[in-house]
Amino acid sequence: MTVTDINSWQSVKAEVMRRIIERIWLPGDMIPNEIDLAKEFGCARATVNRAMRALADEGLLERRRKAGTRVALNPIRKATLEIPITRLEVEQRGGTWRHSVLERSEVVPPVSVASRLGLSDKIEMLHVRSLHYADNHPFLYEDRWVNLSEVAAICDVDLQEIDANEWLVQNTPLTKGDISFSAANATKQEAELLQTSEGEAIFVIDRTTWNGDVPVTIVRLAYAPGYRMHTEI
Amino acid sequence: MTVTDINSWQSVKAEVMRRIIERIWLPGDMIPNEIDLAKEFGCARATVNRAMRALADEGLLERRRKAGTRVALNPIRKATLEIPITRLEVEQRGGTWRHSVLERSEVVPPVSVASRLGLSDKIEMLHVRSLHYADNHPFLYEDRWVNLSEVAAICDVDLQEIDANEWLVQNTPLTKGDISFSAANATKQEAELLQTSEGEAIFVIDRTTWNGDVPVTIVRLAYAPGYRMHTEI
DNA sequence: CAAAATATTATGTGCATACATAATACAATA
DNA sequence: TATTGTATTATGTATGCACATAATATTTTG
């Protein structure tokens, strides 16, 4: 029953992928059960299981107990994208990064911010606005609110030295995040900061992060025109 | 040595997460090895391994052979985002989806398209431009090129009936993809199609997909103003 | 005949064991 | 002393077995 003894889960995965790519198994098709595949490949069921789980995680297979495993109808659904630290992102492109803090204050947040975090709008938060540069060109305008009751230690940090995001990411466990991406026309203020003209299309990321159920920070990132976010599947 | 016998990999994972969230283990800290954790939790090493691997996949832990396991310095790096089929995306928001094909032709592609796919710019490809509506409002303008030598069958498909993307996704195994997101000012043509005004900020997705090493399709998706792409970590 | 009870089946998980592999620490050698 | 070789160690993986669980198929029952 053996092909040529495929006995690592990686090779099982590769072989199953091959059959999908070469359309031996078509989208929507049922594929043999784990026991039969194990026999065919000459390996243990656990090994097949590991491979199939990996492929299911990637969205290439769909599995249900008793019902069995089938080739996913729409294989490419999930893309993983990396949320970079701005400094590293700039440096990876071979640029020189620096940033300057435009504002740093402890004030009561607007209702829109407080409510999105599920916090009272009467408690002061840290408000940081800063501009990131790549090779001395404006790259990113960042408008951030930080929950001081969760990360009080940030008060003692020199944010001119280290970017708030980078500090947070290294000093606070962040377990949950909520991100949205959109396009916006640059406001007059944004245009001035990013050295472009009002109305230019700007790529915007809005991100809120929690540690467990406690909100940590909310930030709006407005990238200079021309920015592209890239990922592979 | 047992806490209260944590003997499923899910509960091991939850317990380790708890210790990270509550800062019993700090970012950068080494954590005990699998054998010791297994003893402590009263379960098998394989169970701990499963849990730790899952946490490493999520980016919360960093593991290296011999070196051991440590809490990741920058835990949130990877977000997974779903690439939806437009019809489903519209319908999930409670809207009614329809689309209309603006152009369908078999022509030689421009060099920019052919080169990005690694194809000759002398071979004809299928060019489809279409407009997707949500509740009869323009939602998305799609400009697509399809590699006919890979998916010849698409010639016989009535693309008024089924969206090209949906058809491709269900009839072609897509194993690799390349996606970029950006913001652009609406051109005059786009503005007319999307019923907005020239210069409005438009969210744009450029996507190229392959089956194995064979390019299948390249598409530019221009969303009507106000569109947001959302994901959680 | 329809609804409820029961059997069957494929995946999901846990365990003990064994060995593989990468990375480090440490000793031996030129 | 610098380099090479060797032992150690933590994770990575494969196996066989057992049982759990969800979903379907089948049979029983009203």
Side-chain angles (χ1 to χ4, degrees), chain B residues 138-184:
Chain B
F139 177 74
L140 164 65
Y141 168 54
E142 169 184 334
D143 188 327
R144 177 185 299 272
W145 293 86
V146 181
N147 180 3
L148 284 171
S149 60
E150 176 67 6
V151 276
I154 200 171
C155 291
D156 306 323
V157 178
D158 180 359
L159 293 180
Q160 290 283 0
E161 283 301 312
I162 184 171
D163 165 31
N165 183 50
E166 194 166 348
W167 185 88
L168 282 167
V169 120
Q170 288 174 9
N171 290 276
T172 315
L174 305 172
T175 56
K176 208 170 62 174
D178 190 291
I179 310 180
S180 78
F181 309 90
S182 56

Side-chain angles (χ1 to χ4, degrees), chain A residues 131 138 186-198:
Chain A
L131 198 51
T187 63
K188 194 176 171 190
Q189 186 205 31
E190 287 167 344
E192 277 172 20
L193 290 168
L194 295 172
Q195 285 178 23
T196 182
S197 37
E198 193 175 346

Side-chain angles (χ1 to χ4, degrees), chain A:
Chain A
M1 226 12 130
T2 306
V3 185
T4 4
D5 266 37
I6 296 172
N7 53 339
S8 79
W9 73 268
Q10 314 259 11
S11 59
V12 170
K13 185 185 159 193
E15 171 61 14
V16 171
M17 268 185 82
R18 186 187 69 77
R19 295 186 186 183
I20 294 173
I21 290 171
E22 295 182 6
R23 307 196 205 176
I24 297 168
W25 293 334
L26 298 173
D29 275 7
M30 288 287 285
I31 73 175
N33 70 39
E34 296 185 347
I35 293 174
D36 291 345
L37 283 176
K39 269 187 221 157
E40 189 196 343
F41 294 145
C43 66
R45 181 169 83 91
T47 307
V48 174
N49 182 281
R50 181 94 156 76
M52 307 293 259
R53 241 185 325 109
L55 286 168
D57 285 347
E58 288 175 22
L60 227 64
L61 293 179
E62 281 170 8
R63 337 188 64 205
R64 270 164 55 215
R65 279 176 173 164
K66 163 75 184 177
T69 301
R70 58 179 63 236
V71 180
L73 270 180
N74 40 358
I76 291 194
R77 282 196 312 217
K78 294 174 229 156
T80 61
L81 55 90
E82 307 233 329
I83 314 294
I85 291 174
T86 305
R87 177 175 64 78
L88 298 177
E89 186 177 14
V90 169
E91 287 172 358
Q92 269 172 21
R93 297 176 182 204
T96 306
W97 173 86
R98 74 178 175 86
H99 87 307
S100 88
V101 176
L102 306 175
E103 178 191 344
R104 179 197 171 126
S105 55
E106 294 177 25
V107 287
V108 164
V111 182
S112 61
V113 168
S115 69
R116 273 182 62 187
L117 293 172
L119 293 175
S120 158
D121 58 353
K122 289 172 186 164
I123 296 171
E124 287 189 350
M125 297 181 70
L126 179 67
H127 188 203
V128 181
R129 296 190 305 114
S130 62
L131 198 51
H132 297 245
Y133 295 85
D135 293 329
N136 285 322
H137 295 294
F139 177 74
L140 165 64
Y141 168 54
E142 170 185 333
D143 187 329
R144 178 185 297 273
W145 293 85
V146 182
N147 179 4
L148 284 171
S149 60
E150 177 66 6
V151 277
I154 201 172
C155 291
D156 306 323
V157 178
D158 180 0
L159 293 180
Q160 291 284 1
E161 283 302 312
I162 183 170
D163 165 31
N165 183 50
E166 193 167 349
W167 186 87
L168 281 168
V169 120
Q170 287 175 8
N171 291 275
T172 315
L174 304 172
T175 55
K176 209 172 62 177
D178 190 290
I179 310 181
S180 79
F181 309 90
S182 56
N185 292 99
T187 63
K188 194 176 171 190
Q189 186 205 31
E190 287 167 344
E192 277 172 20
L193 290 168
L194 295 172
Q195 285 178 23
T196 182
S197 37
E198 193 175 346
E200 274 294 295
I202 297 287
F203 188 81
V204 175
I205 302 182
D206 289 283
R207 186 168 68 215
T208 311
T209 42
W210 288 266
N211 179 31
D213 287 323
V214 183
V216 174
T217 185
I218 183 170
V219 65
R220 180 178 193 270
L221 306 172
Y223 288 85
Y227 179 78
R228 297 179 83 81
M229 189 175 72
H230 183 265
T231 184
E232 290 176 6
I233 300 185

